[in-house]
């Protein structure tokens, strides 16, 4: 039996909370996708020379029209610790230029929750889960990729179908630990 090397990808995902303590979720609607039909937190693949936070900022704009404040001159690569336990989105070319940013410049709105490594059938995925707090912000997401989008109470997340790598995040949300 041939030992196949799986492709490895890095992904950034936003766990977005509004002022009603609801979480933004989208339904995966790309037919043929390995997680088609499941619910997910908005996010996508980290591109070459892009930091996880820069990816998150770009993907939130591309998918749900959220424009988070960015810095214009700071560039740093963040170092994170990883935990094991894994969603993949494709991304299109950004419509706007997002300058490199530093996570410390977003510390009131964006916090790294954890990094999860998950092995899907066809890929290995490192997922950077970020909490994005939209409380007291005048930001109203809207779907830009024709995907269904919902605000859901934290307590209802357990009853919905998410990819396996999201399970620990949902548990932490239900326990009010993030």
């Amino acid at each position: 039996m041939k030992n196949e090397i799986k492709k490895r990808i890095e992904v950034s995902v936003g766990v977005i909370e509004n002022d009603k303590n609801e979480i933004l979720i989208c339904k995966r609607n790309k037919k043929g996708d390995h997680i088609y039909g499941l619910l997910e937190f908005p996010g996508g693949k980290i591109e070459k020379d892009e930091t996880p936070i820069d990816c998150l900022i770009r993907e939130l704009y591309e998918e749900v029209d959220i424009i988070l404040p960015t810095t214009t001159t700071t560039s740093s690569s963040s170092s994170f610790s990883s935990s094991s336990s894994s969603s993949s989105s494709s991304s299109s070319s950004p419509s706007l230029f997002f300058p490199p940013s530093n996570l410390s410049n977003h510390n009131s709105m964006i916090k790294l929750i954890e990094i999860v490594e998950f092995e899907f059938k066809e890929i290995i995925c490192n997922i950077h889960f970020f909490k994005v707090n939209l409380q007291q912000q005048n930001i109203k997401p809207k779907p830009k990729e024709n995907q269904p989008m919902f605000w859901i109470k934290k307590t209802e997340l357990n009853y919905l179908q998410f990819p396996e790598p999201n399970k620990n995040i949902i548990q932490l949300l239900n326990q009010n630990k993030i």
Side-chain angles (χ1 to χ4, degrees), residues 37-84:
L38 296 179
L39 299 170
E40 64 179 354
F41 304 111
K45 292 179 191 170
I46 299 173
E47 295 179 355
K48 185 179 179 192
D49 299 325
E50 188 175 47
T51 66
I53 190 71
D54 291 330
C55 172
L56 177 70
I57 291 167
R58 177 183 52 76
E59 286 286 345
L60 292 183
Y61 172 72
E62 289 177 356
E63 288 188 15
V64 293
D65 203 29
I66 293 175
I67 299 176
L68 297 174
T70 63
T71 60
T72 56
T73 58
T74 308
S75 177
S76 76
S77 50
S78 305
S79 60
F80 301 103
S81 61
S82 143
S83 71
S84 289

mmCIF file of all heavy atoms in Angstrom, residues 37-84:
data_model
loop_
_atom_site.group_PDB
_atom_site.id
_atom_site.type_symbol
_atom_site.label_atom_id
_atom_site.label_comp_id
_atom_site.label_asym_id
_atom_site.label_seq_id
_atom_site.Cartn_x
_atom_site.Cartn_y
_atom_site.Cartn_z
ATOM 1 N N GLY A 37 -22.590 21.508 3.321
ATOM 2 C CA GLY A 37 -23.810 21.388 4.100
ATOM 3 C C GLY A 37 -23.628 21.595 5.592
ATOM 4 O O GLY A 37 -24.601 21.743 6.316
ATOM 5 N N LEU A 38 -22.385 21.590 6.064
ATOM 6 C CA LEU A 38 -22.147 21.800 7.492
ATOM 7 C C LEU A 38 -22.097 23.294 7.795
ATOM 8 O O LEU A 38 -21.880 24.128 6.917
ATOM 9 C CB LEU A 38 -20.833 21.144 7.919
ATOM 10 C CG LEU A 38 -20.757 19.626 7.791
ATOM 11 C CD1 LEU A 38 -19.395 19.118 8.225
ATOM 12 C CD2 LEU A 38 -21.860 18.952 8.593
ATOM 13 N N LEU A 39 -22.272 23.614 9.054
ATOM 14 C CA LEU A 39 -22.149 24.994 9.494
ATOM 15 C C LEU A 39 -20.701 25.247 9.884
ATOM 16 O O LEU A 39 -19.980 24.323 10.252
ATOM 17 C CB LEU A 39 -23.085 25.247 10.669
ATOM 18 C CG LEU A 39 -24.558 25.042 10.330
ATOM 19 C CD1 LEU A 39 -25.410 25.073 11.589
ATOM 20 C CD2 LEU A 39 -25.027 26.089 9.335
ATOM 21 N N GLU A 40 -20.290 26.507 9.809
ATOM 22 C CA GLU A 40 -18.910 26.839 10.148
ATOM 23 C C GLU A 40 -18.829 28.288 10.593
ATOM 24 O O GLU A 40 -19.724 29.087 10.344
ATOM 25 C CB GLU A 40 -17.989 26.606 8.952
ATOM 26 C CG GLU A 40 -18.283 27.500 7.770
ATOM 27 C CD GLU A 40 -17.349 27.271 6.593
ATOM 28 O OE1 GLU A 40 -16.397 26.491 6.714
ATOM 29 O OE2 GLU A 40 -17.595 27.894 5.560
ATOM 30 N N PHE A 41 -17.722 28.602 11.232
ATOM 31 C CA PHE A 41 -17.399 29.975 11.555
ATOM 32 C C PHE A 41 -16.707 30.563 10.325
ATOM 33 O O PHE A 41 -15.963 29.862 9.648
ATOM 34 C CB PHE A 41 -16.473 30.035 12.767
ATOM 35 C CG PHE A 41 -17.034 29.340 13.986
ATOM 36 C CD1 PHE A 41 -16.459 28.177 14.449
ATOM 37 C CD2 PHE A 41 -18.130 29.860 14.658
ATOM 38 C CE1 PHE A 41 -16.961 27.527 15.562
ATOM 39 C CE2 PHE A 41 -18.647 29.215 15.777
ATOM 40 C CZ PHE A 41 -18.062 28.053 16.232
ATOM 41 N N PRO A 42 -16.925 31.833 10.005
ATOM 42 C CA PRO A 42 -16.298 32.419 8.812
ATOM 43 C C PRO A 42 -14.772 32.390 8.892
ATOM 44 O O PRO A 42 -14.193 32.580 9.952
ATOM 45 C CB PRO A 42 -16.792 33.867 8.819
ATOM 46 C CG PRO A 42 -17.930 33.917 9.777
ATOM 47 C CD PRO A 42 -17.758 32.779 10.721
ATOM 48 N N GLY A 43 -14.140 32.166 7.754
ATOM 49 C CA GLY A 43 -12.678 32.147 7.685
ATOM 50 C C GLY A 43 -12.215 31.466 6.424
ATOM 51 O O GLY A 43 -13.015 31.139 5.550
ATOM 52 N N GLY A 44 -10.908 31.246 6.325
ATOM 53 C CA GLY A 44 -10.381 30.604 5.136
ATOM 54 C C GLY A 44 -8.893 30.386 5.198
ATOM 55 O O GLY A 44 -8.248 30.589 6.226
ATOM 56 N N LYS A 45 -8.349 29.965 4.072
ATOM 57 C CA LYS A 45 -6.937 29.594 3.970
ATOM 58 C C LYS A 45 -6.015 30.795 4.095
ATOM 59 O O LYS A 45 -6.274 31.858 3.539
ATOM 60 C CB LYS A 45 -6.665 28.920 2.626
ATOM 61 C CG LYS A 45 -7.309 27.576 2.478
ATOM 62 C CD LYS A 45 -7.007 27.005 1.112
ATOM 63 C CE LYS A 45 -7.857 25.778 0.847
ATOM 64 N NZ LYS A 45 -7.766 25.347 -0.536
ATOM 65 N N ILE A 46 -4.923 30.568 4.808
ATOM 66 C CA ILE A 46 -3.876 31.580 4.927
ATOM 67 C C ILE A 46 -3.040 31.522 3.658
ATOM 68 O O ILE A 46 -2.563 30.462 3.266
ATOM 69 C CB ILE A 46 -3.001 31.327 6.173
ATOM 70 C CG1 ILE A 46 -3.875 31.410 7.440
ATOM 71 C CG2 ILE A 46 -1.839 32.310 6.229
ATOM 72 C CD1 ILE A 46 -3.153 31.019 8.716
ATOM 73 N N GLU A 47 -2.886 32.660 3.002
ATOM 74 C CA GLU A 47 -2.119 32.726 1.767
ATOM 75 C C GLU A 47 -0.631 32.898 2.057
ATOM 76 O O GLU A 47 -0.240 33.258 3.164
ATOM 77 C CB GLU A 47 -2.635 33.886 0.904
ATOM 78 C CG GLU A 47 -4.067 33.663 0.452
ATOM 79 C CD GLU A 47 -4.624 34.804 -0.374
ATOM 80 O OE1 GLU A 47 -3.946 35.837 -0.549
ATOM 81 O OE2 GLU A 47 -5.759 34.648 -0.862
ATOM 82 N N LYS A 48 0.176 32.639 1.043
ATOM 83 C CA LYS A 48 1.626 32.773 1.167
ATOM 84 C C LYS A 48 1.968 34.180 1.660
ATOM 85 O O LYS A 48 1.403 35.159 1.192
ATOM 86 C CB LYS A 48 2.287 32.512 -0.192
ATOM 87 C CG LYS A 48 3.784 32.513 -0.120
ATOM 88 C CD LYS A 48 4.405 32.218 -1.463
ATOM 89 C CE LYS A 48 5.910 32.265 -1.270
ATOM 90 N NZ LYS A 48 6.645 32.276 -2.473
ATOM 91 N N ASP A 49 2.897 34.268 2.590
ATOM 92 C CA ASP A 49 3.364 35.535 3.165
ATOM 93 C C ASP A 49 2.275 36.294 3.919
ATOM 94 O O ASP A 49 2.360 37.500 4.079
ATOM 95 C CB ASP A 49 3.987 36.440 2.090
ATOM 96 C CG ASP A 49 5.206 35.800 1.434
ATOM 97 O OD1 ASP A 49 5.949 35.085 2.138
ATOM 98 O OD2 ASP A 49 5.387 36.003 0.224
ATOM 99 N N GLU A 50 1.254 35.595 4.382
ATOM 100 C CA GLU A 50 0.173 36.229 5.127
ATOM 101 C C GLU A 50 0.194 35.682 6.551
ATOM 102 O O GLU A 50 0.390 34.491 6.764
ATOM 103 C CB GLU A 50 -1.155 35.890 4.442
ATOM 104 C CG GLU A 50 -2.355 36.617 4.970
ATOM 105 C CD GLU A 50 -3.615 36.317 4.159
ATOM 106 O OE1 GLU A 50 -3.888 35.135 3.862
ATOM 107 O OE2 GLU A 50 -4.320 37.283 3.828
ATOM 108 N N THR A 51 0.013 36.536 7.542
ATOM 109 C CA THR A 51 -0.065 36.077 8.924
ATOM 110 C C THR A 51 -1.481 35.573 9.195
ATOM 111 O O THR A 51 -2.423 35.933 8.472
ATOM 112 C CB THR A 51 0.270 37.210 9.913
ATOM 113 O OG1 THR A 51 -0.757 38.205 9.828
ATOM 114 C CG2 THR A 51 1.636 37.823 9.635
ATOM 115 N N PRO A 52 -1.666 34.779 10.238
ATOM 116 C CA PRO A 52 -3.016 34.322 10.567
ATOM 117 C C PRO A 52 -3.995 35.480 10.813
ATOM 118 O O PRO A 52 -5.139 35.415 10.369
ATOM 119 C CB PRO A 52 -2.812 33.486 11.830
ATOM 120 C CG PRO A 52 -1.410 32.975 11.707
ATOM 121 C CD PRO A 52 -0.645 34.103 11.067
ATOM 122 N N ILE A 53 -3.550 36.522 11.474
ATOM 123 C CA ILE A 53 -4.451 37.648 11.742
ATOM 124 C C ILE A 53 -4.781 38.400 10.455
ATOM 125 O O ILE A 53 -5.914 38.833 10.252
ATOM 126 C CB ILE A 53 -3.879 38.586 12.838
ATOM 127 C CG1 ILE A 53 -4.925 39.614 13.277
ATOM 128 C CG2 ILE A 53 -2.627 39.281 12.396
ATOM 129 C CD1 ILE A 53 -6.040 39.032 14.074
ATOM 130 N N ASP A 54 -3.812 38.549 9.560
ATOM 131 C CA ASP A 54 -4.078 39.207 8.276
ATOM 132 C C ASP A 54 -5.069 38.385 7.454
ATOM 133 O O ASP A 54 -5.956 38.939 6.801
ATOM 134 C CB ASP A 54 -2.792 39.411 7.482
ATOM 135 C CG ASP A 54 -1.874 40.438 8.121
ATOM 136 O OD1 ASP A 54 -2.379 41.363 8.781
ATOM 137 O OD2 ASP A 54 -0.650 40.317 7.965
ATOM 138 N N CYS A 55 -4.933 37.076 7.504
ATOM 139 C CA CYS A 55 -5.877 36.195 6.813
ATOM 140 C C CYS A 55 -7.281 36.381 7.378
ATOM 141 O O CYS A 55 -8.247 36.507 6.628
ATOM 142 C CB CYS A 55 -5.435 34.742 6.941
ATOM 143 S SG CYS A 55 -6.643 33.562 6.308
ATOM 144 N N LEU A 56 -7.382 36.404 8.697
ATOM 145 C CA LEU A 56 -8.686 36.576 9.331
ATOM 146 C C LEU A 56 -9.338 37.880 8.874
ATOM 147 O O LEU A 56 -10.516 37.892 8.481
ATOM 148 C CB LEU A 56 -8.546 36.571 10.855
ATOM 149 C CG LEU A 56 -9.846 36.806 11.617
ATOM 150 C CD1 LEU A 56 -10.772 35.603 11.474
ATOM 151 C CD2 LEU A 56 -9.561 37.108 13.070
ATOM 152 N N ILE A 57 -8.597 38.953 8.892
ATOM 153 C CA ILE A 57 -9.126 40.261 8.481
ATOM 154 C C ILE A 57 -9.594 40.211 7.024
ATOM 155 O O ILE A 57 -10.693 40.669 6.694
ATOM 156 C CB ILE A 57 -8.071 41.356 8.708
ATOM 157 C CG1 ILE A 57 -7.869 41.558 10.213
ATOM 158 C CG2 ILE A 57 -8.470 42.660 8.026
ATOM 159 C CD1 ILE A 57 -6.649 42.374 10.565
ATOM 160 N N ARG A 58 -8.782 39.629 6.157
ATOM 161 C CA ARG A 58 -9.141 39.531 4.733
ATOM 162 C C ARG A 58 -10.371 38.650 4.531
ATOM 163 O O ARG A 58 -11.314 39.009 3.825
ATOM 164 C CB ARG A 58 -7.956 38.985 3.926
ATOM 165 C CG ARG A 58 -8.266 38.771 2.440
ATOM 166 C CD ARG A 58 -7.089 38.167 1.697
ATOM 167 N NE ARG A 58 -6.549 36.960 2.305
ATOM 168 C CZ ARG A 58 -7.118 35.753 2.230
ATOM 169 N NH1 ARG A 58 -8.255 35.570 1.567
ATOM 170 N NH2 ARG A 58 -6.543 34.705 2.796
ATOM 171 N N GLU A 59 -10.371 37.473 5.151
ATOM 172 C CA GLU A 59 -11.472 36.523 4.973
ATOM 173 C C GLU A 59 -12.796 37.059 5.519
ATOM 174 O O GLU A 59 -13.846 36.842 4.918
ATOM 175 C CB GLU A 59 -11.142 35.181 5.631
ATOM 176 C CG GLU A 59 -10.120 34.368 4.872
ATOM 177 C CD GLU A 59 -10.673 33.741 3.602
ATOM 178 O OE1 GLU A 59 -11.902 33.685 3.407
ATOM 179 O OE2 GLU A 59 -9.855 33.289 2.780
ATOM 180 N N LEU A 60 -12.758 37.759 6.648
ATOM 181 C CA LEU A 60 -14.007 38.307 7.179
ATOM 182 C C LEU A 60 -14.584 39.352 6.234
ATOM 183 O O LEU A 60 -15.806 39.442 6.081
ATOM 184 C CB LEU A 60 -13.801 38.889 8.578
ATOM 185 C CG LEU A 60 -13.501 37.861 9.673
ATOM 186 C CD1 LEU A 60 -13.394 38.546 11.030
ATOM 187 C CD2 LEU A 60 -14.515 36.742 9.707
ATOM 188 N N TYR A 61 -13.719 40.100 5.586
ATOM 189 C CA TYR A 61 -14.211 41.052 4.596
ATOM 190 C C TYR A 61 -14.780 40.309 3.378
ATOM 191 O O TYR A 61 -15.882 40.600 2.926
ATOM 192 C CB TYR A 61 -13.120 42.019 4.144
ATOM 193 C CG TYR A 61 -13.601 42.862 2.996
ATOM 194 C CD1 TYR A 61 -14.531 43.870 3.198
ATOM 195 C CD2 TYR A 61 -13.188 42.589 1.701
ATOM 196 C CE1 TYR A 61 -15.024 44.611 2.137
ATOM 197 C CE2 TYR A 61 -13.680 43.322 0.634
ATOM 198 C CZ TYR A 61 -14.600 44.332 0.848
ATOM 199 O OH TYR A 61 -15.096 45.046 -0.203
ATOM 200 N N GLU A 62 -14.029 39.329 2.862
ATOM 201 C CA GLU A 62 -14.452 38.621 1.648
ATOM 202 C C GLU A 62 -15.737 37.832 1.844
ATOM 203 O O GLU A 62 -16.572 37.765 0.953
ATOM 204 C CB GLU A 62 -13.347 37.667 1.186
ATOM 205 C CG GLU A 62 -12.142 38.362 0.621
ATOM 206 C CD GLU A 62 -11.029 37.395 0.243
ATOM 207 O OE1 GLU A 62 -11.144 36.176 0.473
ATOM 208 O OE2 GLU A 62 -10.020 37.886 -0.289
ATOM 209 N N GLU A 63 -15.904 37.214 3.014
ATOM 210 C CA GLU A 63 -17.051 36.328 3.230
ATOM 211 C C GLU A 63 -18.282 37.019 3.798
ATOM 212 O O GLU A 63 -19.401 36.725 3.382
ATOM 213 C CB GLU A 63 -16.665 35.175 4.164
ATOM 214 C CG GLU A 63 -15.754 34.168 3.521
ATOM 215 C CD GLU A 63 -15.537 32.945 4.402
ATOM 216 O OE1 GLU A 63 -16.285 32.741 5.369
ATOM 217 O OE2 GLU A 63 -14.601 32.196 4.099
ATOM 218 N N VAL A 64 -18.083 37.906 4.784
ATOM 219 C CA VAL A 64 -19.241 38.456 5.499
ATOM 220 C C VAL A 64 -19.207 39.984 5.622
ATOM 221 O O VAL A 64 -19.913 40.558 6.447
ATOM 222 C CB VAL A 64 -19.423 37.785 6.887
ATOM 223 C CG1 VAL A 64 -19.821 36.325 6.725
ATOM 224 C CG2 VAL A 64 -18.183 37.919 7.738
ATOM 225 N N ASP A 65 -18.382 40.627 4.820
ATOM 226 C CA ASP A 65 -18.350 42.088 4.718
ATOM 227 C C ASP A 65 -18.055 42.785 6.044
ATOM 228 O O ASP A 65 -18.581 43.849 6.323
ATOM 229 C CB ASP A 65 -19.670 42.613 4.123
ATOM 230 C CG ASP A 65 -19.498 43.989 3.498
ATOM 231 O OD1 ASP A 65 -18.393 44.306 3.035
ATOM 232 O OD2 ASP A 65 -20.482 44.755 3.488
ATOM 233 N N ILE A 66 -17.221 42.169 6.862
ATOM 234 C CA ILE A 66 -16.782 42.800 8.094
ATOM 235 C C ILE A 66 -15.420 43.441 7.818
ATOM 236 O O ILE A 66 -14.480 42.753 7.404
ATOM 237 C CB ILE A 66 -16.651 41.786 9.247
ATOM 238 C CG1 ILE A 66 -18.029 41.263 9.633
ATOM 239 C CG2 ILE A 66 -15.946 42.404 10.450
ATOM 240 C CD1 ILE A 66 -17.998 40.173 10.691
ATOM 241 N N ILE A 67 -15.347 44.730 8.043
ATOM 242 C CA ILE A 67 -14.070 45.433 7.894
ATOM 243 C C ILE A 67 -13.592 45.775 9.291
ATOM 244 O O ILE A 67 -14.183 46.610 9.982
ATOM 245 C CB ILE A 67 -14.208 46.704 7.033
ATOM 246 C CG1 ILE A 67 -14.688 46.335 5.634
ATOM 247 C CG2 ILE A 67 -12.875 47.452 6.990
ATOM 248 C CD1 ILE A 67 -14.952 47.513 4.727
ATOM 249 N N LEU A 68 -12.526 45.095 9.719
ATOM 250 C CA LEU A 68 -11.939 45.354 11.025
ATOM 251 C C LEU A 68 -10.846 46.399 10.876
ATOM 252 O O LEU A 68 -10.166 46.449 9.851
ATOM 253 C CB LEU A 68 -11.348 44.060 11.602
ATOM 254 C CG LEU A 68 -12.353 42.944 11.866
ATOM 255 C CD1 LEU A 68 -11.635 41.678 12.288
ATOM 256 C CD2 LEU A 68 -13.350 43.364 12.937
ATOM 257 N N PRO A 69 -10.664 47.230 11.875
ATOM 258 C CA PRO A 69 -9.609 48.230 11.777
ATOM 259 C C PRO A 69 -8.246 47.564 11.675
ATOM 260 O O PRO A 69 -7.987 46.562 12.326
ATOM 261 C CB PRO A 69 -9.732 49.021 13.085
ATOM 262 C CG PRO A 69 -10.655 48.266 13.953
ATOM 263 C CD PRO A 69 -11.374 47.253 13.128
ATOM 264 N N THR A 70 -7.398 48.105 10.808
ATOM 265 C CA THR A 70 -6.048 47.574 10.643
ATOM 266 C C THR A 70 -5.048 48.694 10.812
ATOM 267 O O THR A 70 -5.382 49.865 10.706
ATOM 268 C CB THR A 70 -5.839 46.958 9.246
ATOM 269 O OG1 THR A 70 -5.998 47.987 8.285
ATOM 270 C CG2 THR A 70 -6.801 45.832 8.977
ATOM 271 N N THR A 71 -3.804 48.319 11.058
ATOM 272 C CA THR A 71 -2.742 49.310 11.087
ATOM 273 C C THR A 71 -2.188 49.422 9.680
ATOM 274 O O THR A 71 -2.365 48.539 8.861
ATOM 275 C CB THR A 71 -1.621 48.873 12.039
ATOM 276 O OG1 THR A 71 -1.114 47.637 11.561
ATOM 277 C CG2 THR A 71 -2.128 48.720 13.455
ATOM 278 N N THR A 72 -1.496 50.483 9.394
ATOM 279 C CA THR A 72 -0.982 50.661 8.038
ATOM 280 C C THR A 72 0.514 50.484 7.937
ATOM 281 O O THR A 72 1.041 50.395 6.856
ATOM 282 C CB THR A 72 -1.343 52.059 7.503
ATOM 283 O OG1 THR A 72 -0.844 53.037 8.422
ATOM 284 C CG2 THR A 72 -2.834 52.214 7.343
ATOM 285 N N THR A 73 1.203 50.409 9.051
ATOM 286 C CA THR A 73 2.660 50.320 8.961
ATOM 287 C C THR A 73 3.274 49.162 9.725
ATOM 288 O O THR A 73 4.428 48.861 9.536
ATOM 289 C CB THR A 73 3.308 51.621 9.492
ATOM 290 O OG1 THR A 73 2.877 51.816 10.850
ATOM 291 C CG2 THR A 73 2.918 52.811 8.657
ATOM 292 N N THR A 74 2.518 48.519 10.589
ATOM 293 C CA THR A 74 3.093 47.478 11.423
ATOM 294 C C THR A 74 3.011 46.130 10.740
ATOM 295 O O THR A 74 1.986 45.774 10.205
ATOM 296 C CB THR A 74 2.349 47.384 12.766
ATOM 297 O OG1 THR A 74 2.305 48.685 13.335
ATOM 298 C CG2 THR A 74 3.020 46.433 13.705
ATOM 299 N N SER A 75 4.106 45.403 10.749
ATOM 300 C CA SER A 75 4.112 44.049 10.212
ATOM 301 C C SER A 75 4.853 43.157 11.174
ATOM 302 O O SER A 75 5.952 43.479 11.594
ATOM 303 C CB SER A 75 4.795 44.019 8.850
ATOM 304 O OG SER A 75 4.850 42.704 8.378
ATOM 305 N N SER A 76 4.238 42.053 11.540
ATOM 306 C CA SER A 76 4.929 41.087 12.382
ATOM 307 C C SER A 76 4.337 39.728 12.141
ATOM 308 O O SER A 76 3.180 39.603 11.785
ATOM 309 C CB SER A 76 4.791 41.453 13.860
ATOM 310 O OG SER A 76 3.517 41.131 14.328
ATOM 311 N N SER A 77 5.143 38.718 12.337
ATOM 312 C CA SER A 77 4.585 37.379 12.296
ATOM 313 C C SER A 77 4.414 36.964 13.734
ATOM 314 O O SER A 77 5.322 37.060 14.534
ATOM 315 C CB SER A 77 5.501 36.416 11.541
ATOM 316 O OG SER A 77 6.792 36.512 12.020
ATOM 317 N N SER A 78 3.209 36.563 14.059
ATOM 318 C CA SER A 78 2.888 36.184 15.417
ATOM 319 C C SER A 78 3.315 34.760 15.668
ATOM 320 O O SER A 78 3.257 33.926 14.795
ATOM 321 C CB SER A 78 1.379 36.308 15.635
ATOM 322 O OG SER A 78 0.936 37.598 15.307
ATOM 323 N N SER A 79 3.741 34.488 16.879
ATOM 324 C CA SER A 79 4.042 33.105 17.225
ATOM 325 C C SER A 79 2.968 32.620 18.163
ATOM 326 O O SER A 79 2.549 33.318 19.070
ATOM 327 C CB SER A 79 5.418 33.012 17.886
ATOM 328 O OG SER A 79 5.445 33.775 19.057
ATOM 329 N N PHE A 80 2.489 31.429 17.906
ATOM 330 C CA PHE A 80 1.383 30.870 18.665
ATOM 331 C C PHE A 80 1.776 29.492 19.166
ATOM 332 O O PHE A 80 2.595 28.813 18.587
ATOM 333 C CB PHE A 80 0.145 30.696 17.770
ATOM 334 C CG PHE A 80 -0.325 31.983 17.152
ATOM 335 C CD1 PHE A 80 -0.066 32.269 15.833
ATOM 336 C CD2 PHE A 80 -1.020 32.902 17.915
ATOM 337 C CE1 PHE A 80 -0.510 33.443 15.267
ATOM 338 C CE2 PHE A 80 -1.463 34.081 17.349
ATOM 339 C CZ PHE A 80 -1.207 34.349 16.026
ATOM 340 N N SER A 81 1.118 29.092 20.252
ATOM 341 C CA SER A 81 1.277 27.708 20.683
ATOM 342 C C SER A 81 0.113 26.928 20.112
ATOM 343 O O SER A 81 -0.953 27.471 19.905
ATOM 344 C CB SER A 81 1.277 27.627 22.205
ATOM 345 O OG SER A 81 0.063 28.106 22.712
ATOM 346 N N SER A 82 0.338 25.684 19.864
ATOM 347 C CA SER A 82 -0.671 24.898 19.160
ATOM 348 C C SER A 82 -1.207 23.798 20.051
ATOM 349 O O SER A 82 -0.536 23.318 20.937
ATOM 350 C CB SER A 82 0.005 24.362 17.914
ATOM 351 O OG SER A 82 -0.368 23.109 17.584
ATOM 352 N N SER A 83 -2.445 23.422 19.807
ATOM 353 C CA SER A 83 -3.037 22.279 20.488
ATOM 354 C C SER A 83 -3.565 21.328 19.431
ATOM 355 O O SER A 83 -3.911 21.753 18.355
ATOM 356 C CB SER A 83 -4.162 22.735 21.419
ATOM 357 O OG SER A 83 -5.264 23.156 20.681
ATOM 358 N N SER A 84 -3.602 20.067 19.745
ATOM 359 C CA SER A 84 -4.067 19.100 18.740
ATOM 360 C C SER A 84 -5.510 18.741 18.953
ATOM 361 O O SER A 84 -5.994 18.662 20.031
ATOM 362 C CB SER A 84 -3.227 17.826 18.827
ATOM 363 O OG SER A 84 -1.954 18.064 18.346
#
